[in-house]
């Protein structure tokens, strides 16, 4: 990313005057706020953190966990089945939410695509690794034979496809919700916006991931329980770190002097500078 590519669609504080004063009041950002026209060190740090936690989440998503509770449910012990990715999921959305809240949807869009590209690159190199023959002595010692390696790669690739698909849907839904609600609320109630965006993202992310990853393994009842459990747990974790999210956003607005409003910004995930906007 470069400073020229980060120039916002709303490069001035006041957008073009609409047809009526009423519509102007509903779309103009507060006059004292500054639009994002440059890439700051904070943007780079947030982007690195987002991509890192996205890679971690997609790697953890390859493991399915189960906790058996002593409380009976339908005559059997209560079994909680979930993906290990839920422990890192909130942090990826935390950094993405701060990016959108402070620097706007357009910068978030580039960062989200960067994270998805990093996952595809990782899968590509894992595929190349799976093609290489295993040294016999090492395979005998570790049990990681060529057959085991191929089966492992097939399993983790399937989970990565599910994770990347879920991330694409969830992250862009979260960013679009935050961007539009910020303009509609005139910048007030940041916590409410982040809660709404994260809840929608958690629902879509979980639904897409579980269906793609487990449709051929679990029955409909088991998938429904997993979707419900993961949705509730993800929302709880994201709302638990809400004070950190809001506090970080306020800090960066003050330090960088940026509080971007996406007035007239295209929410098309595929729209980049010079194309579709």
């Amino acid at each position: 990313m470069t400073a020229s590519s980060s120039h916002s669609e709303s490069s001035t504080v006041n957008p073009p005057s609409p047809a009526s004063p009423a519509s102007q009041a509903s779309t103009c950002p507060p006059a004292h706020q500054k639009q994002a026209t440059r890439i700051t060190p904070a943007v780079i740090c947030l982007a690195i953190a987002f991509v890192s936690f996205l890679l971690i989440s997609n790697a953890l998503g390859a493991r399915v966990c189960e906790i058996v509770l002593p409380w009976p449910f339908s005559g059997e012990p209560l079994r909680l089945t979930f993906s290990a990715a839920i422990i890192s999921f909130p942090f990826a959305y935390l950094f993405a939410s701060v990016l959108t809240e402070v620097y706007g949807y357009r910068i978030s869009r580039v960062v989200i695509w960067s994270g998805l590209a990093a996952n595809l690159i990782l899968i590509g190199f894992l595929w190349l690794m799976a093609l290489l023959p295993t040294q016999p002595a090492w395979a005998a010692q570790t049990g990681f034979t060529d057959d085991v390696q191929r089966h492992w790669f097939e399993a983790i690739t399937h989970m990565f496809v599910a994770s990347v698909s879920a991330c694409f849907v969830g992250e862009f839904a979260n960013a679009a919700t935050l961007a539009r609600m910020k303009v509609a609320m005139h910048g007030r109630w940041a916590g409410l916006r982040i809660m709404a965006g994260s809840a929608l993202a958690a629902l879509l992310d979980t639904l897409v991931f579980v269906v793609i990853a487990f449709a051929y393994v679990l029955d409909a009842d088991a998938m429904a329980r997993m979707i419900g459990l993961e949705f509730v747990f993800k929302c709880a974790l994201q709302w638990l770190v809400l004070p950190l999210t809001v506090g970080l956003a306020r800090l960066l607005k003050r330090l960088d002097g940026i509080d971007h409003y996406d007035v007239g910004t295209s929410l098309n995930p595929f729209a980049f500078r010079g194309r579709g906007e």
Side-chain angles (χ1 to χ4, degrees):
M1 295 185 292
T2 63
S4 62
S5 64
S6 66
H7 193 285
S8 168
E9 294 86 9
S10 305
S11 58
T12 61
V13 172
N14 294 314
S17 299
S20 66
S23 62
Q24 183 179 22
S26 64
T27 59
C28 286
H32 67 280
Q33 304 296 356
K34 297 181 180 179
Q35 302 294 77
T37 58
R38 68 189 191 278
I39 297 297
T40 68
V43 172
I44 298 174
C45 292
L46 289 171
I48 293 172
F50 168 77
V51 173
S52 299
F53 275 99
L54 187 60
L55 288 170
I56 293 170
S57 297
N58 289 344
L60 295 181
R63 184 181 182 189
V64 180
C65 306
E66 182 178 80
I67 297 177
V68 180
L69 300 178
W71 307 306
F73 180 79
S74 299
E76 297 181 358
L78 181 60
R79 299 178 181 274
L80 303 180
T81 305
F82 55 92
S83 166
I86 62 175
I87 62 178
S88 59
F89 172 90
F91 297 99
Y93 278 87
L94 184 158
F95 296 116
S97 296
V98 172
L99 276 168
T100 305
E101 171 66 23
V102 180
Y103 305 99
Y105 179 87
R106 197 171 172 188
I107 289 179
S108 290
R109 178 169 52 202
V110 175
V111 173
I112 292 170
W113 275 114
S114 299
L116 296 175
N119 277 275
L120 295 177
I121 293 172
L122 176 60
I123 282 294
F125 277 93
L126 289 177
W127 172 72
L128 291 175
M129 181 196 70
L131 294 179
L132 297 174
T134 305
Q135 202 274 339
W138 184 85
Q141 182 180 2
T142 62
F144 203 58
T145 63
D146 286 340
D147 288 338
V148 171
Q149 186 169 263
R150 280 191 292 269
H151 287 308
W152 170 83
F153 175 74
E154 291 172 0
I156 199 172
T157 299
H158 183 80
M159 290 298 180
F160 261 81
V161 170
S163 296
V164 170
S165 301
C167 174
F168 174 83
V169 175
E171 289 289 356
F172 279 113
N174 178 52
T177 300
L178 288 176
R180 284 297 180 254
M181 288 185 69
K182 182 175 182 178
V183 174
M185 293 179 170
H186 303 282
R188 298 188 296 270
W189 305 308
L192 180 61
R193 292 196 301 274
I194 293 172
M195 290 176 65
S198 63
L200 176 61
L203 177 61
L204 296 176
D205 184 285
T206 304
L207 183 63
V208 172
F209 175 78
V210 172
V211 170
I212 295 178
F214 303 110
Y216 70 103
V217 175
L218 304 176
D219 57 32
D221 184 61
M223 286 196 299
R225 289 199 304 269
M226 179 180 285
I227 290 171
L229 173 64
E230 290 202 12
F231 171 70
V232 171
F233 193 77
K234 287 175 180 178
C235 286
L237 283 180
Q238 289 181 101
W239 294 346
L240 184 64
V241 299
L242 181 63
L244 176 61
T245 308
V246 175
L248 180 58
R250 289 175 178 171
L251 175 64
L252 293 178
K253 288 177 183 179
R254 185 171 67 252
L255 293 179
D256 284 346
I258 294 174
D259 191 5
H260 188 86
Y261 282 74
D262 286 290
V263 179
T265 303
S266 171
L267 299 183
N268 180 1
F270 302 98
F272 293 94
R273 186 173 181 83
R275 289 177 53 191
E277 292 190 316

